[in-house]
Amino acid sequence: MCGISGYIGEKNCIPILLEGLKRMEYRGYDSSGISIIKDNEIKTFKKAGKIVNLEKILPNNLESTIGIGHTRWATHGGVTDYNAHPHLSSNNKFVIVHNGIIENYSYHKNKLISEGYKFRSDTDSEVIAFLIEKNYENNFEEAFYKTLPMLEGTYGLVAMSLVEPEYIMVARKG
Ligand code: GLU
């Protein structure tokens, strides 16, 4: 397990998320990334390699008061930009960062693919974002809590949604 960070408040989240990730660098990692909400859109920046690689692709004037961040130690899927976290749902309205292993991810992934969902990474983690999307009726918190029992394995997890950007959800198991 590596690092996850999340922020919601009055300050600009970018330096806070990056500082949080840097404090956990000693654990080792191979990629890093952040997602923020800006202009009614989830904007994601992620990069294989050191956090400095991520910092290089962040626009200078980037500001937001809500965001999530991740350092990855790959277990499923190679060390690539597209496998780095955060991972968006299919409709781009939900986004997650995950440390750990989702042991039953192939079951969910195959089922979701058969229902027409298109995945963008080789990770086990991406199914979490897709399941939250699928479980969403009209409440993000409910969709999140409905998703957790579907996951076998271990997780440190932070999720954020465009539909209800007033809060972030966190969970931990194992
Ligand atoms: N299993 C996930 C992946 O390979 C998360 C790894 C981690 O804990 O950073 O992307």
Side-chain angles (χ1 to χ4, degrees):
M1 289 219 186
C2 304
I4 50 175
S5 61
Y7 178 84
I8 179 160
E10 290 176 358
K11 297 181 182 160
N12 179 15
C13 69
I14 319 289
I16 297 169
L17 293 173
L18 292 173
E19 173 61 25
L21 296 181
K22 283 178 186 168
R23 282 194 202 172
M24 293 179 283
E25 271 193 296
Y26 71 90
R27 298 182 187 189
Y29 65 100
D30 53 51
S31 326
S32 66
I34 63 167
S35 282
I36 59 155
I37 297 181
K38 195 169 173 63
D39 303 329
N40 202 31
E41 200 185 312
I42 295 177
K43 295 194 192 297
T44 299
F45 306 88
K46 50 192 195 175
K47 207 73 195 152
K50 293 287 168 197
I51 293 173
V52 63
N53 296 0
L54 168 65
E55 286 175 319
K56 279 187 197 147
I57 60 163
L58 294 177
N60 278 335
N61 53 356
L62 194 63
E63 276 191 30
S64 172
T65 54
I66 177 170
I68 63 178
H70 187 263
T71 48
R72 175 175 191 235
W73 189 275
T75 65
H76 294 66
V79 179
T80 63
D81 294 349
Y82 66 85
N83 281 333
H85 299 217
H87 289 290
L88 282 155
S89 62
S90 163
N91 64 7
N92 296 327
K93 290 190 174 159
F94 303 93
V95 65
I96 64 99
V97 287
H98 165 238
N99 288 145
I101 293 175
I102 302 305
E103 279 155 15
N104 61 344
Y105 84 97
S106 3
Y107 165 77
H108 289 303
K109 190 165 178 172
N110 291 336
K111 198 157 175 273
L112 287 159
I113 288 172
S114 74
E115 290 165 12
Y117 286 91
K118 292 200 166 43
F119 283 78
R120 305 175 181 115
S121 86
D122 311 315
T123 66
D124 51 333
S125 312
E126 194 179 8
V127 294
I128 305 172
F130 281 53
L131 288 173
I132 294 173
E133 171 181 331
K134 207 182 146 187
N135 287 329
Y136 179 79
E137 284 168 35
N138 50 25
N139 186 290
F140 168 44
E141 184 178 350
E142 274 174 25
F144 184 81
Y145 283 128
K146 204 171 162 190
T147 301
L148 293 182
M150 299 170 79
L151 306 175
E152 281 166 22
T154 52
Y155 50 79
L157 179 62
V158 188
M160 181 171 83
S161 93
L162 197 59
V163 285
E164 285 164 65
E166 304 83 23
Y167 59 95
I168 57 177
M169 296 300 295
V170 301
R172 186 178 71 168
K173 184 182 165 202

